[in-house]
């Protein structure tokens, strides 16, 4: 694609219709989709787009930080709904938290940092109910790690309802985090509004390199299946090993695991692990000091578990 | 260096701590949330399990059009 570095994508054979190609891959039309450099920018942008003085957003606690953090920064009230005792997003509590001033409901499924899933039927009912009262954004960054029927997307609902938006990213299963590719799908009326507020020709906002890589990646189901299977093997190993060490990791359907390390842990766990060459996150969620570890290769997870065993000698 | 964790005490504290649900919103802080406070000088030898990336990279077919 480098020979076409001097051309806009709409002047390059194989790329000129890629917005429509990507839309059709997900069963929608070109008018339903806005391409973006990764999906975090849509999350940040939607907090701005739906901003209203005195307004609020509803989001689970904990959840992915970008949208709530921007909302908070802008002065929106963030109505944080604690996850339930199974560490899942509490849909009925989310619904009852929506009020007349709610501008946006943000729901990450599967959720980050918990790695838990809400089933498609529950999600569909939630979207139908919540969208009567507010705009609803479903962040499906990690949905590709699941198999049918649990991987059913809310995209078909979003395509027909301006109050439902779905974001997806190529940063996870597609392995393109550094290439920056994502999108949002909604009803054409909503997409038109977003385009007017952000950028009218969203395809042009993405580099030819990234568009070409994304198109090729969509066609390569085999590689995605490979990544999914490898991820599951590494995740199962880490989960089982943590269990054997008497930790209580939250069963994850994604490429990360969250587990409490004990509130009597003194110091900064992420800092300590860095001294052992393991780079991860630690923070307090639902009142407990936790570690969130991404699922790497099996070799990487073995290194992680080795350090854990050296640290926690039971 | 962390000391060995006392399990009984851990569970006791953990269940007590859940009473504080919803009071603080650490997950809404920022993109450095939970990352080490110390800077990394080099990625060499580092096992990066911080950002939910895909360690297997993008598909080989994605790389082909980039090299044409």
């Amino acid at each position: 694609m480098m020979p076409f570095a001097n051309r806009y994508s709409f002047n390059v054979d194989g790329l000129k219709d890629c917005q429509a190609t990507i839309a059709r891959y997900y069963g929608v039309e070109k008018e339903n989709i806005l391409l973006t450099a990764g999906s975090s920018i849509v999350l940040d942008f939607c907090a701005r787009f739906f901003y209203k003085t005195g307004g609020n957003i509803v989001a689970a606690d904990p959840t992915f930080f970008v949208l709530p953090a921007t909302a908070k920064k802008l002065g929106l009230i963030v109505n944080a709904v604690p996850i339930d005792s199974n560490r899942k997003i509490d849909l009925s509590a989310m619904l009852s938290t929506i009020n007349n001033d709610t501008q946006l409901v943000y729901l990450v499924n599967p959720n980050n940092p918990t790695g838990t899933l809400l089933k498609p039927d529950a999600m569909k009912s939630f979207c139908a109910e919540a969208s009567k009262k507010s705009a609803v954004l479903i962040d499906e960054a990690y949905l590709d790690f699941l198999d049918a029927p649990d991987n059913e997307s809310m995209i078909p609902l979003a395509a027909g309802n301006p109050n439902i938006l779905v974001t997806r990213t190529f940063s996870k299963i597609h392995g393109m985090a550094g290439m920056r590719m994502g999108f949002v799908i909604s009803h054409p009326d909503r997409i038109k509004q977003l385009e007017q507020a952000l950028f009218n020709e969203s395809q042009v906002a993405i580099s030819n390199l990234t568009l070409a890589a994304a198109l090729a990646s969509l066609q390569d189901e085999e590689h995605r299946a490979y990544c999914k299977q490898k991820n599951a093997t590494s995740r199962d190993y880490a989960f089982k090993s943590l269990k054997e060490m008497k930790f209580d990791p939250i069963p994850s359907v994604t490429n990360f695991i969250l587990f409490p390390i004990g509130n009597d842990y003194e110091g900064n766990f992420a800092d300590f692990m860095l001294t052992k060459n393991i780079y991860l996150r630690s923070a307090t969620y639902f009142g407990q000091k936790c570690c969130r570890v991404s699922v790497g290769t099996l070799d990487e997870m073995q290194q992680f578990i080795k350090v854990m065993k050296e640290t926690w000698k039971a | 260096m962390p000391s060995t964790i006392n399990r009984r005490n851990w569970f006791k504290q953990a269940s007590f701590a859940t009473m504080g649900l919803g009071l603080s919103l650490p997950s809404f802080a920022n993109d450095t949330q939970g990352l080490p406070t110390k800077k990394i000088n080099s990625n060499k030898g580092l096992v990066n399990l911080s950002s939910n990336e895909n360690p297997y990279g993008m598909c080989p077919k994605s790389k082909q059009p980039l090299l044409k």
Side-chain angles (χ1 to χ4, degrees):
Chain A
M1 200 46 59
M2 285 310 281
F4 303 108
N6 58 325
R7 301 291 177 196
Y8 294 108
S9 57
F10 53 73
N11 285 329
V12 178
D13 284 346
L15 291 186
K16 51 181 65 162
D17 299 320
C18 73
Q19 182 162 338
T21 308
I22 293 168
R24 275 197 295 272
Y25 181 86
Y26 289 95
V28 298
E29 298 301 320
K30 189 185 173 188
E31 293 72 23
N32 288 114
I33 194 167
L34 180 85
L35 305 182
T36 51
S39 59
S40 282
I41 191 166
V42 185
L43 306 178
D44 180 278
F45 175 67
C46 280
R48 300 169 195 278
F49 180 84
F50 289 101
Y51 174 82
K52 197 178 169 188
T53 308
N56 70 68
I57 70 154
V58 174
D61 180 33
T63 201
F64 187 50
F65 70 91
V66 168
L67 196 155
T70 303
K72 212 170 167 184
K73 210 160 35 183
L74 295 170
L76 284 162
I77 295 160
V78 178
N79 285 325
V81 181
I83 54 173
D84 67 20
S85 55
N86 295 317
R87 308 294 182 223
K88 293 194 176 195
I89 292 177
D90 188 337
L91 287 179
S92 55
M94 293 276 285
L95 266 181
S96 61
T97 304
I98 301 171
N99 62 33
N100 290 338
D101 293 320
T102 301
Q103 303 301 307
L104 183 62
V105 176
Y106 176 54
L107 202 151
V108 186
N109 191 43
N111 193 25
N112 178 10
T114 51
T116 50
L117 176 81
L118 296 170
K119 297 278 186 176
D121 284 349
M123 284 298 294
K124 281 190 256 186
S125 318
F126 176 80
C127 286
E129 276 310 303
S131 64
K132 288 177 192 164
K133 303 172 188 166
S134 164
V136 180
L137 194 159
I138 310 297
D139 180 345
E140 296 183 346
Y142 298 97
L143 198 63
D144 291 311
F145 286 101
L146 284 124
D147 296 314
D150 291 339
N151 64 354
E152 187 180 342
S153 173
M154 295 301 115
I155 284 175
L157 286 183
N161 184 340
N163 254 5
I164 303 176
L165 301 90
V166 171
T167 57
R168 299 289 282 257
T169 180
F170 281 66
S171 301
K172 305 303 171 188
I173 198 78
H174 290 276
M176 288 175 53
M179 296 291 282
R180 310 310 300 138
M181 177 71 186
F183 58 81
V184 54
I185 284 175
S186 189
H187 186 278
D189 291 348
R190 179 64 80 194
I191 293 297
K192 207 174 279 174
Q193 286 178 346
L194 295 176
E195 282 175 346
Q196 281 165 359
L198 184 66
F199 190 46
N200 234 348
E201 296 281 343
S202 70
Q203 182 182 306
V204 182
I206 313 297
S207 81
N208 290 356
L209 284 171
T210 299
L211 291 174
L215 286 178
S217 189
L218 279 181
Q219 286 158 19
D220 194 346
E221 272 184 46
E222 207 181 305
H223 183 69
R224 299 206 296 282
Y226 170 81
C227 293
K228 201 196 284 189
Q229 185 261 318
K230 284 282 199 185
N231 177 68
T233 303
S234 291
R235 183 183 62 205
D236 293 350
Y237 161 77
F239 184 85
K240 209 174 137 223
S241 303
L242 289 168
K243 278 281 209 192
E244 281 167 8
M245 292 179 67
K246 306 282 184 258
F247 285 105
D248 192 16
I250 300 171
S252 167
V253 297
T254 63
N255 66 339
F256 54 87
I257 299 173
L258 187 74
F259 61 98
I261 56 171
N263 282 355
D264 51 356
Y265 182 90
E266 287 173 19
N268 182 316
F269 183 62
D271 275 350
F272 166 73
M273 290 301 272
L274 189 57
T275 67
K276 303 285 178 186
N277 266 348
I278 311 283
Y279 190 48
L280 45 65
R281 297 187 189 233
S282 63
T284 298
Y285 297 119
F286 39 84
Q288 298 189 34
K289 282 187 177 179
C290 292
C291 168
R292 194 203 70 179
V293 62
S294 300
V295 175
T297 62
L298 188 56
D299 179 61
E300 287 172 330
M301 299 322 279
Q302 283 166 345
Q303 290 184 61
F304 161 69
I305 291 296
K306 186 170 174 273
V307 173
M308 289 296 290
K309 283 183 175 164
E310 285 164 6
T311 306
W312 265 275
K313 290 178 187 118
Chain B
M1 286 286 286
S3 58
T4 303
I5 300 296
N6 176 326
R7 299 272 156 216
R8 198 168 298 163
N9 195 27
W10 171 48
F11 283 114
K12 204 172 102 188
Q13 291 206 12
S15 56
F16 179 73
T18 54
M19 289 166 67
L21 272 178
L23 291 178
S24 63
L25 305 172
S27 50
F28 299 159
N30 55 52
D31 59 353
T32 58
Q33 173 66 42
L35 284 177
T37 54
K38 293 173 181 96
K39 282 192 177 164
I40 332 166
N41 295 322
S42 164
N43 284 319
K44 213 176 166 188
L46 189 72
V47 179
N48 194 332
L49 303 173
S50 69
S51 307
N52 302 344
E53 294 157 335
N54 180 335
Y56 310 104
M58 63 179 183
C59 74
K61 285 172 194 163
S62 286
K63 290 169 192 162
Q64 284 166 12
L66 310 186
L67 300 171
K68 263 183 203 165

